[in-house]
Amino acid sequence: MTRWRSTLSLTFPVMMGYLPLGAVFGVLWVDADLTWYWAPLMSIMVYAGALQYLAVGMLAAGIGWIDLAVASLLVNFRHLFYGLSLYHLLPKGALGRPYFIFGITDETYSLLSASGQVKDSKTALQVVLFNQCYWVLGTLIGMVLARGLPPGLQGLDFALTALFTVLAVEQIRAKKDWGAVVLGLVAAAVAGIWVSEYFLLAASIMLVLVLLAWPKTQLQGGEA
């Protein structure tokens, strides 16, 4: 029980973000006049904040499932690299392992990688579970609140971008790795100028290629 309480306190900052963000998703879903029960089901079975925001507009516009699948791949491609860096926290259970892989979001990854307080797979799995519960609860709250809000509210979908900005700032303040900051800015600039249609995918690939060579460079420097 002590472990669960400790994990709950650890995930409190994510809760403060996920409840309102999940609520915004619920409001946007209801405002788009989509079938209500798919919103909580999506938060349970899909659970991909940025993609869920994107899916609201695409589904409301009648976008086909193939186009939605391609967009999902491009938006969530970065999660492949999240899993590689969290391999040491991967649970061994037949149920825990796939759920852990499924439940890694940007905020969960930030918490597991930057806090330094998660040392074992059991705690990491609890973090994933708590964070998804916050998101699902926020979705339900938003759907209820949407009934009393005027339709067509503008700017709600910017909430997720704001949270990503805060997470990036906190990561920079915690690690103070200015080389990584410069590398990210350069990759973003190059991708934005040359392949803006596939901005996220292109920037991610460039970063991975550089990072794959980075340990080798460090090793050679140490040997010298």
Side-chain angles (χ1 to χ4, degrees):
M1 196 64 180
T2 303
R3 179 194 292 269
W4 285 96
R5 290 176 180 173
S6 176
T7 306
L8 181 62
S9 63
L10 179 64
T11 59
F12 186 78
V14 176
M15 179 186 70
M16 297 299 291
Y18 267 17
L19 287 180
L21 285 173
V24 169
F25 168 69
V27 170
L28 292 174
W29 188 274
V30 172
D31 191 50
D33 200 27
L34 297 169
T35 306
W36 72 269
Y37 56 80
W38 280 112
L41 285 176
M42 180 176 284
S43 291
I44 294 172
M45 297 188 298
V46 178
Y47 183 43
L51 175 62
Q52 289 182 233
Y53 277 56
L54 178 65
V56 172
M58 296 184 71
L59 291 173
I63 300 296
W65 288 102
I66 295 179
D67 292 331
L68 185 58
V70 172
S72 302
L73 175 63
L74 296 177
V75 171
N76 286 336
F77 186 77
R78 65 192 186 281
H79 287 253
L80 173 65
F81 312 115
Y82 289 175
L84 292 175
S85 63
L86 293 178
Y87 184 80
H88 62 291
L89 294 176
L90 189 65
K92 296 181 179 180
L95 295 177
R97 174 169 291 195
Y99 176 68
F100 180 81
I101 296 172
F102 160 80
I104 295 298
T105 61
D106 298 279
E107 295 77 20
T108 300
Y109 174 79
S110 179
L111 184 60
L112 293 177
S113 62
S115 69
Q117 300 181 53
V118 181
K119 305 293 186 181
D120 60 276
S121 58
K122 289 184 178 180
T123 303
L125 188 60
Q126 291 172 357
V127 168
V128 172
L129 177 60
F130 273 125
N131 288 349
Q132 185 176 15
C133 287
Y134 303 147
W135 183 266
V136 174
L137 178 59
T139 300
L140 295 173
I141 293 173
M143 295 179 69
V144 173
L145 294 177
R147 304 299 179 183
L149 295 176
L153 287 176
Q154 300 295 318
L156 290 178
D157 51 353
F158 184 74
L160 194 62
T161 303
L163 180 58
F164 287 160
T165 303
V166 172
L167 288 173
V169 171
E170 289 301 315
Q171 285 274 21
I172 294 171
R173 291 178 60 186
K175 294 184 176 294
K176 293 183 173 59
D177 189 348
W178 300 110
V181 175
V182 172
L183 180 61
L185 292 174
V186 171
V190 172
I193 294 173
W194 297 103
V195 281
S196 58
E197 299 85 354
Y198 304 99
F199 171 78
L200 184 60
L201 180 60
S204 299
I205 291 176
M206 283 188 285
L207 286 172
V208 169
L209 291 176
V210 173
L211 292 175
L212 285 175
W214 197 266
K216 182 178 179 182
T217 303
Q218 287 183 321
L219 180 59
Q220 289 175 343
E223 290 177 347

